[in-house]
Amino acid sequence: MKPLRVALLGCGTVGSEVVRLLREQAADLTARVGAPLELAGVAVRRPERAREHVDPGLLTTDAMSLVTRDDVDIVVEVIGGIEPARSLLLAAMKAGKSVVTANKALLAEDGETVFGAAREYGADLYYEAAVAGAIPLLRPLRESLVGDHVKRVIGIVNGTTNYILDQMDTFGASFTDALEEAQSLGYAEADPTADVEGFDAAAKAAILAQLAFHTPVSAADVHREGITEVTAADVAGAKAMNSVVKLLAICERVPDPDGSNGGRGVSVRVYPAMIPRSHPLASVREAYNAVFVEAQSAGSLMFYGAGAGGAPTASAVLGDLVAVARNRVGGTRGPVEVTYAELPVLPMGETVTRYYVQLDVADRSGVLAQVAELFARHDVSIQAVRQEGYGNDAKLVVVTHRAPDAALAATVEGLQRMDIVREVASVMRVEADEAP
Amino acid sequence: MKPLRVALLGCGTVGSEVVRLLREQAADLTARVGAPLELAGVAVRRPERAREHVDPGLLTTDAMSLVTRDDVDIVVEVIGGIEPARSLLLAAMKAGKSVVTANKALLAEDGETVFGAAREYGADLYYEAAVAGAIPLLRPLRESLVGDHVKRVIGIVNGTTNYILDQMDTFGASFTDALEEAQSLGYAEADPTADVEGFDAAAKAAILAQLAFHTPVSAADVHREGITEVTAADVAGAKAMNSVVKLLAICERVPDPDGSNGGRGVSVRVYPAMIPRSHPLASVREAYNAVFVEAQSAGSLMFYGAGAGGAPTASAVLGDLVAVARNRVGGTRGPVEVTYAELPVLPMGETVTRYYVQLDVADRSGVLAQVAELFARHDVSIQAVRQEGYGNDAKLVVVTHRAPDAALAATVEGLQRMDIVREVASVMRVEADEAP
């Protein structure tokens, strides 16, 4: 059977791992694809650097020529970033190549252009590794749930922040100390901004939302809060409620009150929140990721695995590579992103959620009544109140029922202005804590 | 585009749900497949019974004619059982039809014949719903991990037993009381044998093992223990160790000491065991299922979802139906089970595991020394011992390190014969509790 020729763009951590797997599993892969996979060329910035196991004759700096060469069937892009990756992917698809990418930044920022090109050119575009590393997630969402209707997706999609929060939960560490620990072990980068400020999670949320709801969502649409403001007190407060703080990417349909088909829109947001320890997402430790899906027919599903790292990501890339290769051997292509409805992404203020609020209050009679009255004035219903301490150490913990975020935020602002409230010590959203 | 014609075998809980979804999601499905899906006929035993939403003209008792009809493209089998399902599936594949089945009993008992026929006739055979209901599990295992090497699969694959054990854990109930509760709520059948004796889980273990290790495994090869002997004391003992009792289906490669490629064989077994509460599998509650996969490149993955019930299973069947339909539109087929190596299924005695043992002992000096000496005589290393109580209430809890099951079992027999041991109150295996 005629070999399928693969052009690899990028040969860093993930790229070199892909090369290694292609070589070591060649016999396996040939049996599974129905044809051998051959490396046609590897585009890099520094061809003079030797790459283990790569024939130097395959290295090139001219990526654009490589992706449009006649003898190339499949292009694997593991460079990252917006350009030149976008231009190369568009050129590859226009030239009839199948494309595998791990580029979450590009798909989150400009998914419309890239997915649009795939539709226009009838190209196979696979991107499992762009969202959650090695967890087979996108293919199940695209294929297995194909007869289903996804209502909500909640994900832990950033290993760095999950590792830090797990450390804070396990050892009572401060954010700063946990971050240092993470950096020393290689779980966080020297400049950890993209992870701890939630940019990485927001990009993945945008891709997940596009996939789940078949509507355009870009990273800019996603309400984003990172974990830099999470305190040891927040984490302890969660523990006291048998909950745990996680950085969550939440994508959900917002139904129309009149029950119309598309719904009012979608809500897509990233922020740290408390979830019950009994929830499957709570068992996601260290740098693992997981995505919890609620679908109409399938019910609740969760996919859990290693989010990042050379080996898991390369494993996801290889899975996609085999899928597109098999499609080419069979003369078919994978599922096409069909956009059904233009659903608006609703502003955070309208998103319905719940708050946990911890207040240091003056220990005077009538404090609880005043606080409760403030919540009532903003039409926020209180689910639970716990009052602890006496005298100078009086502490009030309030957990609300569901309410629009704007009302909850306004209530917190009101609390901050009250005389009897010395300090709003902790504010955190509460998610995934509903009676089934 | 010419419609694809679907023959449905069986119209019970799952079958009628499939019919409903085909009807309600027709427009969606057409867009995703690239052609409309049409019901060509529905084979049932009692055609005089009216089926909601099914044109009575489609009903037939002659299933064999239906599956071999020229105008039929795809056969969906949701009858269950060995015959006539096997003969019908073989005839369908021989006649060039694509096949979707939910029949775990058949695939577990005679997977070799059915998979062999799919290879021989070049037929597309999909069976997601045969293992874990709506959890997209088999397709990821077959496709996404295609460039990978699976080392171990641990699953909670039976909702009935998980519900019962969850009740025992949450409420301290006895097995009998928890079973009654499950039956009254519809989580267990009037005759619960297939579930509580582990037959269902063993069948699924066989299918998972075949898929993970590409070697024939039948349900008869699987070492099987159900949950009927699990006591409230076992569950309490697990709790005291911050663990929980789960009925686990475990499939793992057993490496060859000399490191040869295929390994010495595979171990496939089903039994109740203790796992740490921090393990992702421990968060699987009620009737949910989950399968935890350890692969060489991808690391640890877990798939979680609803194991059974009309709607989740129908959702899995529909996902497979769309996949085979799309293959037919594109002129291709899905991954073929390639058997690489005939790996023997090792006997349980050789399987390496760990034991938790709780003994009621006479409170005399020297008891611990005698007990420890017995373990040593069988070459079983002790990881932890806890001694509680005085006088008549002395209790010894021993947790071993890993050892061959035969040695562990022999040690327990030895304990039962010792004078100083009044009773071996609890014996349970300990799994998934290793330092990473």
Side-chain angles (χ1 to χ4, degrees):
Chain A
M1 186 90 206
K2 186 159 163 285
L4 284 165
R5 308 259 299 160
V6 179
L8 179 64
L9 309 181
C11 202
T13 315
V14 178
S16 53
E17 183 66 12
V18 171
V19 169
R20 190 184 70 80
L21 289 172
L22 277 173
R23 196 176 39 82
E24 283 185 5
Q25 313 223 358
D28 268 29
L29 294 171
T30 303
R32 281 154 168 162
V33 168
L37 295 173
E38 255 177 36
L39 218 42
V42 182
V44 294
R45 273 182 305 178
R46 305 232 184 94
E48 65 280 6
R49 243 176 70 196
R51 261 79 173 184
E52 203 181 349
H53 305 303
V54 179
D55 170 4
L58 290 177
L59 298 175
T60 174
T61 52
D62 190 352
M64 187 56 83
S65 297
L66 178 60
V67 303
T68 50
R69 249 166 57 187
D70 282 337
D71 67 303
V72 165
D73 300 299
I74 299 167
V75 171
V76 175
E77 184 267 305
V78 287
I79 303 172
I82 312 299
E83 289 292 348
R86 174 170 50 196
S87 300
L88 291 168
L89 287 177
L90 296 179
M93 288 190 281
K94 186 174 185 182
K97 318 304 184 193
S98 300
V99 166
V100 174
T101 177
N103 199 330
K104 76 173 179 301
L106 173 59
L107 294 178
E109 177 163 318
D110 197 10
E112 261 204 288
T113 299
V114 182
F115 293 136
R119 277 198 299 277
E120 182 184 348
Y121 301 125
D124 240 357
L125 167 64
Y126 277 58
Y127 49 100
E128 187 76 60
V131 176
I135 314 172
L137 165 66
L138 296 194
R139 212 183 330 256
L141 270 181
R142 286 167 83 176
E143 298 182 9
S144 299
L145 296 182
V146 101
D148 209 331
H149 180 84
V150 176
K151 298 191 285 187
R152 184 162 74 167
V153 177
I154 309 178
I156 294 171
V157 292
N158 180 272
T160 298
T161 46
N162 197 62
Y163 183 86
I164 291 170
L165 290 170
D166 193 26
Q167 291 291 107
M168 293 177 74
D169 181 67
T170 308
F171 300 111
S174 70
F175 167 74
T176 314
D177 287 346
L179 170 59
E180 250 182 67
E181 165 88 359
Q183 285 168 320
S184 73
L185 292 172
Y187 285 113
E189 311 203 13
D191 177 2
T193 310
D195 295 313
V196 302
E197 293 288 6
F199 288 106
D200 175 75
K204 291 166 179 174
I207 299 173
L208 283 172
Q210 292 181 75
L211 197 55
F213 309 130
H214 307 292
T215 187
V217 178
S218 79
D221 296 327
V222 179
H223 173 88
R224 177 191 51 80
E225 294 171 36
I227 64 166
T228 56
E229 312 281 304
V230 175
T231 64
D234 295 330
V235 172
K239 211 165 225 167
M241 281 198 348
N242 216 31
S243 293
V244 65
V245 177
K246 293 294 190 190
L247 182 69
L248 301 179
I250 303 175
C251 318
E252 65 186 336
R253 279 189 205 274
V254 180
D256 212 310
D258 71 16
S260 81
N261 215 2
R264 205 151 65 79
V266 296
S267 163
V268 189
R269 68 252 195 200
V270 167
Y271 45 62
M274 298 184 178
I275 58 170
R277 262 176 217 274
S278 58
H279 194 282
L281 281 174
S283 69
V284 179
R285 302 244 144 66
E286 304 200 318
Y288 279 91
N289 289 183
V291 176
F292 195 84
V293 180
E294 292 166 33
Q296 189 141 289
S297 281
S300 299
L301 304 172
M302 189 172 87
F303 307 87
Y304 160 106
T313 306
S315 162
V317 167
L318 213 70
D320 277 352
L321 178 49
V322 169
V324 300
R326 195 183 290 130
N327 287 348
R328 284 189 93 88
V329 168
T332 188
R333 55 180 286 216
V336 182
E337 257 58 48
V338 180
T339 305
Y340 286 77
E342 292 269 339
L343 294 167
V345 181
L346 301 174
M348 187 62 209
E350 293 182 43
T351 294
V352 172
T353 181
R354 301 173 59 193
Y355 271 33
Y356 162 100
V357 183
Q358 190 183 306
L359 307 167
D360 292 341
V361 293
D363 188 31
R364 292 206 297 265
S365 76
V367 163
L368 179 54
Q370 288 186 60
V371 166
E373 194 267 337
L374 177 69
F375 276 88
R377 213 184 310 148
H378 288 279
D379 214 13
V380 175
S381 183
I382 292 176
Q383 190 239 359
V385 179
R386 200 173 68 248
Q387 195 160 344
E388 288 169 13
Y390 308 97
N392 280 340
D393 290 330
K395 193 171 78 172
L396 209 60
V397 172
V398 179
V399 180
T400 74
H401 276 301
R402 289 159 58 80
D405 198 78
L408 294 159
T411 309
V412 170
E413 270 178 68
L415 288 166
Q416 277 159 340
R417 290 195 302 266
M418 287 176 90
D419 287 339
I420 49 160
V421 173
R422 278 209 208 86
E423 192 195 358
V424 177
S426 179
V427 180
M428 188 153 291
R429 293 180 183 92
V430 176
E431 294 284 351
D433 185 17
E434 304 118 11
Chain B
M1 188 87 206
K2 188 161 163 283
L4 283 164
R5 308 259 300 159
V6 180
L8 178 64
L9 309 181
C11 202
T13 314
V14 179
S16 53
E17 184 65 13
V18 171
V19 170
R20 190 182 71 79
L21 290 171
L22 278 173
R23 196 176 39 82
E24 284 186 5
Q25 313 223 358
D28 269 28
L29 294 171
T30 302
R32 281 154 168 163
V33 168
L37 294 173
E38 256 178 34
L39 218 42
V42 181
V44 294
R45 272 182 306 179
R46 304 232 184 95
E48 64 281 3
R49 244 177 68 195
R51 261 78 175 185
E52 204 180 348
H53 305 303
V54 179
D55 171 2
L58 290 177
L59 299 175
T60 174
T61 52
D62 191 350
M64 188 55 85
S65 297
L66 179 59
V67 303
T68 50
R69 250 166 57 187
D70 283 337
D71 67 304
V72 165
D73 301 297
I74 300 167
V75 171
V76 174
E77 183 268 304
V78 287
I79 303 172
I82 311 300
E83 289 292 347
R86 175 170 49 196
S87 299
L88 291 168
L89 288 176
L90 295 178
M93 289 190 281
K94 186 173 185 184
K97 319 305 184 190
S98 301
V99 166
V100 174
T101 177
N103 199 330
K104 73 171 182 302
L106 173 60
L107 295 178
E109 175 163 319
D110 197 10
E112 261 205 288
T113 299
V114 182
F115 294 135
R119 277 197 300 278
E120 182 184 347
Y121 301 126
D124 239 356
L125 167 64
Y126 277 59
Y127 49 99
E128 188 75 61
V131 176
I135 313 171
L137 164 66
L138 295 193
R139 212 185 327 258
L141 271 181
R142 287 167 83 178
E143 299 182 9
S144 299
L145 298 181
V146 100
D148 208 332
H149 180 83
V150 176
K151 297 192 284 187
R152 184 161 75 166
V153 176
I154 308 179
I156 293 172
V157 292
N158 180 272
T160 298
T161 46
N162 197 62
Y163 182 87
I164 291 170
L165 290 170
D166 193 26
Q167 291 292 105
M168 291 177 75
D169 181 68
T170 308
F171 299 111
S174 69
F175 167 74
T176 314
D177 288 346
L179 170 58
E180 251 182 66
E181 166 87 0
Q183 284 169 320
S184 72
L185 292 172
Y187 285 113
E189 311 203 12
D191 177 1
T193 310
D195 296 313
V196 302
E197 293 287 7
F199 288 106
D200 175 75
K204 291 166 178 174
I207 299 172
L208 284 172
Q210 292 181 77
L211 197 56
F213 309 130
H214 307 291
T215 187
V217 178
S218 80
D221 297 326
V222 179
H223 172 87
R224 176 191 53 79
E225 292 172 37
I227 65 166
T228 56
E229 313 280 303
V230 175
T231 65
D234 296 328
V235 171
K239 213 166 225 168
M241 278 195 355
N242 215 31
S243 294
V244 64
V245 176
K246 293 294 191 190
L247 182 70
L248 301 179
I250 303 174
C251 319
E252 65 187 335
R253 280 188 205 274
V254 180
D256 212 308
D258 70 17
S260 81
N261 215 2
R264 204 152 65 78
V266 296
S267 163
V268 188
R269 69 251 195 200
V270 167
Y271 46 61
M274 299 183 177
I275 58 170
R277 263 178 216 274
S278 57
H279 194 281
L281 281 174
S283 69
V284 179
R285 301 243 143 66
E286 305 201 317
Y288 279 91
N289 290 182
V291 177
F292 196 84
V293 180
E294 292 166 33
Q296 190 142 289
S297 281
S300 298
L301 305 172
M302 189 171 87
F303 307 87
Y304 161 106
T313 305
S315 163
V317 167
L318 214 71
D320 276 353
L321 177 50
V322 169
V324 300
R326 195 183 289 129
N327 288 348
R328 283 189 94 89
V329 169
T332 187
R333 54 181 287 219
V336 183
E337 257 58 46
V338 179
T339 306
Y340 285 77
E342 292 270 337
L343 294 167
V345 181
L346 299 174
M348 187 62 209
E350 293 181 43
T351 294
V352 171
T353 180
R354 302 172 59 193
Y355 271 33
Y356 162 99
V357 183
Q358 189 182 307
L359 307 167
D360 292 342
V361 293
D363 188 31
R364 290 208 297 267
S365 76
V367 163
L368 180 54
Q370 289 185 60
V371 166
E373 194 269 335
L374 178 69
F375 277 88
R377 212 183 310 149
H378 288 278
D379 215 13
V380 174
S381 183
I382 292 176
Q383 190 238 0
V385 179
R386 199 173 70 247
Q387 195 161 343
E388 289 169 14
Y390 308 96
N392 280 337
D393 291 331
K395 194 169 79 172
L396 210 60
V397 173
V398 178
V399 180
T400 73
H401 276 300
R402 290 160 54 82
D405 198 77
L408 294 159
T411 309
V412 170
E413 269 178 67
L415 288 166
Q416 278 159 340
R417 289 196 302 267
M418 286 177 90
D419 286 341
I420 50 159
V421 173
R422 280 211 206 85
E423 191 194 359
V424 177
S426 180
V427 180
M428 188 154 291
R429 294 181 182 90
V430 176
E431 294 284 351
D433 185 18
E434 303 119 12

